[in-house]
Amino acid sequence: MREHRWEDALPILLEDIEANPRDPWSPMYLGSCYYELQDYQAALDWFRRAEQLEPENPTPIGLQGDALHCLGDADEARELYLRALEVAPDDELAIKNWKRFNQIEQKAEQTGRGNDDKPSI
């Protein structure tokens, strides 16, 4: 992943998930790979699995918001970013995601265009 070899990382992460099915980080990393490969639905599915494993962690909640935003569902993305803040109001990433989301949405309103910006995870 450090080398941005997303496709090469997929089977390694799948093996890790099989070996450690209760670890929430491997599904987040796997979702991140799919996100970088622009397979946002697969990313969303893995981010949801990570949240199921660790529901009080705001990171997979915010990552779901990123994937949904890329899939064009700004309303659901907004709800997830807000839920991440509810889970952890002081979490720096949750705060950053919420601010970034608002900036992207304001830009889209000002230009009269849809969201062309991909949130950076």
Side-chain angles (χ1 to χ4, degrees), residues 9-57:
L10 296 176
I12 296 166
L13 290 165
L14 285 169
E15 284 179 21
D16 191 52
I17 289 169
E18 195 171 301
N20 303 295
R22 302 294 308 152
D23 175 26
W25 289 98
S26 292
M28 278 190 271
Y29 294 144
L30 189 60
S32 295
C33 288
Y34 280 112
Y35 185 92
E36 294 298 335
L37 293 167
Q38 298 182 358
D39 186 343
Y40 302 119
Q41 186 58 56
L44 178 63
D45 294 340
W46 285 107
F47 296 149
R48 285 179 174 154
R49 180 170 174 176
E51 181 193 5
Q52 290 172 348
L53 293 170
E54 197 169 54
E56 296 305 313
N57 183 344

Side-chain angles (χ1 to χ4, degrees), residues 5-6 13 16 24 27-28 31 34 36 46 48 52 63 65 68 81 84 92 96 100 107 110 113 116-118:
R5 294 172 44 201
W6 312 117
L13 290 165
D16 191 52
M28 278 190 271
Y34 280 112
E36 294 298 335
W46 285 107
R48 285 179 174 154
Q52 290 172 348
L63 289 170
L68 283 164
Y81 292 135
E92 290 180 25
K96 177 183 159 194
R100 185 194 64 230
K107 180 180 171 186
Q110 291 170 353
R113 297 185 355 208
D116 295 333
D117 293 334
K118 172 182 146 186

Side-chain angles (χ1 to χ4, degrees), residues 4 23 77 79 98 116:
H4 302 252
D23 175 26
E79 294 302 317
W98 177 243
D116 295 333

Side-chain angles (χ1 to χ4, degrees), residues 79-99:
E79 294 302 317
L80 286 160
Y81 292 135
L82 286 171
R83 186 154 54 92
L85 282 171
E86 287 175 13
V87 168
D90 297 327
D91 184 79
E92 290 180 25
L93 183 58
I95 294 166
K96 177 183 159 194
N97 285 343
W98 177 243
K99 288 179 181 178

